[in-house]
Amino acid sequence: MGNCLGAPSPSRHDEHASSSGGEDVAIGKNRRLNTTPPQWCTEDRMTLDEVQTRRAEFWETSPAFEGRKEIWEALKAACDACEKKDFGLAQAIIDGANISLPRGTLSEVYDELGNRYRIPNFCLAYPPDVDRRASQGTIQSTVDESATKTSAKKAREASSPPDSPSADKVTLKVRLSTLKDVKVSIRSTDTVASLKRKLGQMEDFDGSKVRVFLTGKTLSDTATIASLKIPKGFYLQAHIPV
């Protein structure tokens, strides 16, 4: 119940994002992502579990606030990257999804169609006085979730179809973490691993160490290009280790 510096805690109404806007914000104006997280607090001290629960609830229901599902996915991935201090990846995800940041923060952004998306502070940073002790149930849940994802990944990789030399050629737009945009001609049945090798050959780096993303999601090396179902106009993002 103490006092905190920084922006006040968002109201329940403000926590819900909106894709329609009436504020005087220059949608066409875009700034680089500010790496300083917002400062906020609540009247009652929150535990780590409580913050994470509110985050999960928000991201699960965010597409219902209108806007485009793939943009919400990209925003979540950008927030996750920021939490890991990987701001280069976060910026690449934002650029690849054609998201504009009029204020340089993820709290209020716009897509290329002018839809507005608002993200509450609890998704962008933990309050300074958060109780970081996780419950045993949370720890076990994390372990179970990780095991489930691993099993699902193996199943997807086992079912990936082999390359076909007669497959149609497609041209992919890829935005590198160096902010350079490149176009890659590749077969629709080629894999992401093949794409990484081609990128490495084109730009003179070790393609095996590159991470490729679509709307913020890491792509499996064995996934085929056709299976990605890349939205029209979207860029793949390629993060090149320094």
Side-chain angles (χ1 to χ4, degrees):
M1 303 227 175
N3 295 324
C4 293
L5 296 176
S9 174
S11 67
R12 205 61 177 163
H13 173 73
D14 290 340
E15 289 170 5
H16 291 280
S18 171
S19 65
S20 60
E23 299 179 8
D24 296 330
V25 177
I27 296 177
K29 189 174 182 179
N30 189 20
R31 297 179 181 176
R32 299 286 295 173
L33 177 64
N34 185 340
T35 59
T36 303
Q39 296 294 314
W40 68 283
C41 64
T42 57
E43 290 295 324
D44 297 315
R45 186 181 183 188
M46 297 179 68
T47 65
L48 188 67
D49 284 356
E50 289 172 333
V51 176
Q52 291 176 340
T53 296
R54 293 183 70 183
R55 286 183 176 184
E57 290 173 348
F58 176 80
W59 291 119
E60 286 174 5
T61 58
S62 54
F65 305 148
E66 300 182 72
R68 296 154 60 192
K69 184 175 183 291
E70 61 269 24
I71 298 297
W72 283 116
E73 291 175 348
L75 289 172
K76 182 180 184 302
C79 288
D80 291 343
C82 285
E83 187 172 348
K84 298 173 183 176
K85 307 298 183 185
D86 195 344
F87 300 111
L89 174 58
Q91 186 68 60
I93 292 170
I94 292 166
D95 293 340
N98 295 320
I99 297 172
S100 297
L101 280 58
R103 296 187 174 91
T105 71
L106 289 169
S107 59
E108 183 174 3
V109 307
Y110 293 82
D111 65 20
E112 59 187 341
L113 300 179
N115 296 315
R116 185 178 70 174
Y117 303 77
R118 297 178 66 189
I119 302 176
N121 283 334
F122 61 77
C123 286
L124 303 176
Y126 289 102
D129 60 345
V130 67
D131 184 349
R132 291 186 174 275
R133 291 173 296 179
S135 67
Q136 185 60 39
T138 299
I139 295 173
Q140 185 59 47
S141 176
T142 301
V143 172
D144 293 343
E145 182 179 356
S146 177
T148 299
K149 288 182 177 179
T150 299
S151 298
K153 179 180 178 181
K154 289 181 178 179
R156 288 196 301 270
E157 293 178 350
S159 61
S160 296
D163 291 348
S164 170
S166 61
D168 294 334
K169 286 274 189 176
V170 295
T171 299
L172 303 179
K173 295 187 291 185
V174 183
R175 181 159 291 158
L176 308 180
S177 54
T178 58
L179 303 184
K180 180 179 180 179
D181 292 345
V182 297
K183 291 184 178 180
V184 184
S185 180
I186 196 168
R187 293 175 300 181
S188 61
T189 51
D190 278 342
T191 62
V192 172
S194 298
L195 170 63
K196 290 163 63 173
R197 284 194 297 272
K198 286 199 173 188
L199 284 172
Q201 293 167 359
M202 292 170 59
E203 299 299 318
D204 193 24
F205 55 74
D206 186 354
S208 65
K209 296 182 179 180
V210 174
R211 290 185 294 166
V212 181
F213 302 84
L214 175 61
T215 63
K217 293 182 178 179
T218 305
L219 302 181
S220 167
D221 282 352
T222 58
T224 63
I225 302 304
S227 70
L228 301 180
K229 301 188 187 321
I230 303 171
K232 184 178 180 180
F234 262 60
Y235 283 80
L236 295 175
Q237 300 94 43
H239 189 261
I240 306 169
V242 179

